[in-house]
Amino acid sequence: MSWQSYVDEHLLCDVEGHTLTAAAILGQDGSVWAQSAKFPQLKPQEIDGIKKDFEEAGFLAPTGLFLGGEKYMVIQGEQGAVIRGKKGPGGVTIKKTNQALVFGIYDEPMTGGQCNLVVERLGDYLIESEL
């Protein structure tokens, strides 16, 4: 299965009639493995901040999480495994796997919980597959 099909079929799947606004799978070095058309172009310093937050929980909390220049307030996550952000009626979930970062961006009517479920389920599968 190609990385793009993981994005198209597993991240952009229908959840109770709703789908993510944008999604991507990036290597931990920031290289894009696959992404949806609406996924923002991430800046190197944004990737560095995300990687640093996975290593040092709370690193992004004072400044916020930036994706393509858009600022998200960092909310609860799981140290070293998941970063969650909120921006207005939407937000983002980022799951770290052995080799990749799985991103899901959502807007209402999708909820943060639905986004978390989709992103973390794929991330857990990739971890089990040693990816």
Side-chain angles (χ1 to χ4, degrees):
M1 183 178 281
S2 76
W3 289 112
Q4 191 62 49
S5 62
Y6 280 106
V7 170
D8 297 342
E9 297 170 21
H10 298 281
L11 292 175
L12 297 178
C13 63
D14 183 283
V15 179
E16 298 174 19
H18 312 299
T19 59
L20 293 173
T21 305
I25 301 172
L26 276 64
Q28 289 187 13
D29 62 357
S31 61
V32 177
W33 292 5
Q35 66 183 19
S36 65
K38 293 182 180 179
F39 192 77
Q41 180 69 41
L42 301 185
K43 299 173 182 154
Q45 63 268 29
E46 294 171 342
I47 298 284
D48 291 343
I50 291 166
K51 291 188 327 190
K52 182 78 170 171
D53 196 82
F54 277 121
E55 295 167 9
E56 186 183 312
F59 175 77
L60 291 174
T63 58
L65 164 67
F66 287 85
L67 300 176
E70 294 286 321
K71 183 177 181 178
Y72 292 78
M73 179 178 64
V74 178
I75 56 175
Q76 91 288 350
E78 296 169 34
Q79 185 172 352
V82 179
I83 298 171
R84 297 184 184 105
K86 186 89 173 117
K87 179 173 148 296
V92 62
T93 302
I94 308 167
K95 172 77 174 179
K96 181 181 176 188
T97 73
N98 299 337
Q99 300 176 26
L101 301 172
V102 181
F103 291 78
I105 298 173
Y106 70 95
D107 284 304
E108 284 186 337
M110 184 172 242
T111 66
Q114 290 169 324
C115 178
N116 296 342
L117 181 71
V118 169
V119 171
E120 292 177 40
R121 186 182 328 151
L122 178 59
D124 289 342
Y125 170 77
L126 295 176
I127 290 168
E128 289 170 15
S129 302
E130 298 185 5
L131 295 170

